[in-house]
Amino acid sequence: MAGPPLSTSNALGAFLRARRELVTPQQAGIPDVGVRRVPGLRREEVALLAGISADYYLRLERGRDRNPSPQVLESIARVLRLDDDHLAHLRLLVAEAPRQRGRRPAEEIPPAGALKLLDSLAQPAFIEGRYFDILASNALARALSPGLAAGGNQLRDLFLDPEQQALHPEWKNVTECFVANLRQSVGNDVDDPRFVELTGELAEASPRFRELWARHEVRGQRGTPIRLDHPRVGELTLNRERLGIGGTEGLMLVVFHPDAGSADAEKLDLLASAARSTSPAMASVS
């Protein structure tokens, strides 16, 4: 099985290289002179703009120095045009917290109360794990997409399942969002066995995943509207909310809901009528 599509030995250097290659000289306010072997800024340009020595910045990219001051990190973040999510990720990559290599991963099991709430909701809803595994779902969620059945994985479906890709008219934007969420979720815990398994599979099978992962985009999970092209009711836009489940490590309750009185609400009602006879949510991941 293929490993994760990044070097776990120098995640900080990989992040800095990827982000500086996305900043043009014009964006940085410097002349674009000479032949550039790679897009974006050169190391010495980042160092100059950040007010640090080129040698010190080189040590950071090569993983030889992992203790930059907060001021240095903020200066580099300013040059690389990092937003708050990316800056938080950068700080995490230089944190001294040791990883527990070889640990046995905790099984992701939704609490009984969360499962009862899930099955009582009138909207499509499901519980997802840290890496977008579907741990449980209600009948309307499964009517909205068979990929939302317990045991599925949203990332795998988005990148490898043509039927799931067709469900998303804005597929490119959706994949960007999910990969950026994944990187934010994993942080520097790139030795997690589930992460290694999933990203290895996707990196081997999906050029689109490899392209997005190489950008090192980071984005926290937020509520957002999402467009779907359902084979039964056509296009509809639903609001997607992700709610943390207390007492768990990263489990989220995801709820799709339409604007009240909208045509999207009417379409969702049609799906609900076909889903009423399905079984209650089941929590199981093989």
Side-chain angles (χ1 to χ4, degrees):
M1 179 178 295
L6 80 167
S7 170
T8 60
S9 61
N10 185 17
L12 173 62
F15 178 77
L16 291 174
R17 284 193 301 275
R19 299 311 302 179
R20 70 176 168 84
E21 290 177 1
L22 295 175
V23 180
T24 66
Q26 290 81 6
Q27 289 173 323
I30 61 176
D32 185 3
V33 296
V35 177
R36 294 181 182 270
R37 292 178 295 176
V38 295
L41 298 178
R42 301 183 178 100
R43 293 189 185 95
E44 56 269 24
E45 291 170 337
V46 174
L48 176 64
L49 293 169
I52 59 179
S53 72
D55 179 67
Y56 181 62
Y57 181 78
L58 179 62
R59 293 203 304 273
L60 287 176
E61 273 208 5
R62 292 184 174 176
R64 295 175 182 171
D65 191 313
R66 297 188 56 83
N67 296 287
S69 69
Q71 293 80 8
V72 166
L73 288 182
E74 290 173 6
S75 295
I76 292 174
R78 172 180 50 80
V79 175
L80 299 183
R81 304 168 67 89
L82 303 184
D83 61 18
D84 290 344
D85 285 337
H86 288 85
L87 177 55
H89 185 72
L90 176 60
R91 287 172 174 152
L92 182 63
L93 293 179
V94 302
E96 290 296 327
R99 285 176 264 162
Q100 300 176 8
R101 296 182 181 273
R103 70 193 186 287
R104 186 173 183 174
E107 187 176 0
E108 294 183 315
I109 301 177
L115 292 174
K116 292 177 182 178
L117 171 62
L118 175 65
D119 198 40
S120 72
L121 292 175
Q123 300 85 10
F126 58 93
I127 295 174
E128 67 182 15
R130 188 181 182 193
Y131 303 126
F132 304 106
D133 291 308
I134 304 297
L135 306 179
S137 62
N138 64 14
L140 188 48
R142 297 190 293 275
L144 190 65
S145 168
L148 295 179
N153 180 274
Q154 297 167 85
L155 277 169
R156 185 185 294 113
D157 286 345
L158 275 172
F159 287 100
L160 304 182
D161 187 337
E163 290 187 5
Q164 289 299 307
Q165 293 169 9
L167 187 64
H168 296 275
E170 299 174 338
W171 178 75
K172 286 191 174 182
N173 291 337
V174 174
T175 56
E176 288 177 4
C177 178
F178 268 81
V179 172
N181 290 167
L182 174 63
R183 191 174 284 282
Q184 190 270 349
S185 177
V186 70
N188 63 356
D189 194 17
V190 291
D191 294 323
D192 184 290
R194 178 59 181 147
F195 167 78
V196 173
E197 175 190 35
L198 180 61
T199 55
E201 177 186 4
L202 294 177
E204 183 174 322
S206 171
R208 174 66 175 169
F209 180 82
R210 293 195 297 271
E211 171 196 349
L212 292 176
W213 192 255
R215 295 182 191 174
H216 286 251
E217 292 286 353
V218 180
R219 193 179 312 164
Q221 297 186 10
R222 302 176 179 91
T224 184
I226 184 168
R227 286 179 59 210
L228 300 171
D229 187 3
H230 196 275
R232 177 171 294 180
V233 298
E235 286 202 11
L236 70 165
T237 299
L238 300 174
N239 302 294
R240 181 179 63 193
E241 310 295 341
R242 282 190 171 108
L243 310 172
I245 298 176
T248 69
E249 294 188 13
L251 300 195
M252 308 290 286
L253 173 65
V254 184
V255 182
F256 291 95
H257 61 100
D259 291 342
S262 65
D264 300 314
E266 294 177 0
K267 292 178 180 180
L268 196 58
D269 286 342
L270 290 176
L271 285 177
S273 64
R276 290 191 182 103
S277 60
T278 59
S279 58
M282 297 295 292
S284 65
V285 174
S286 56

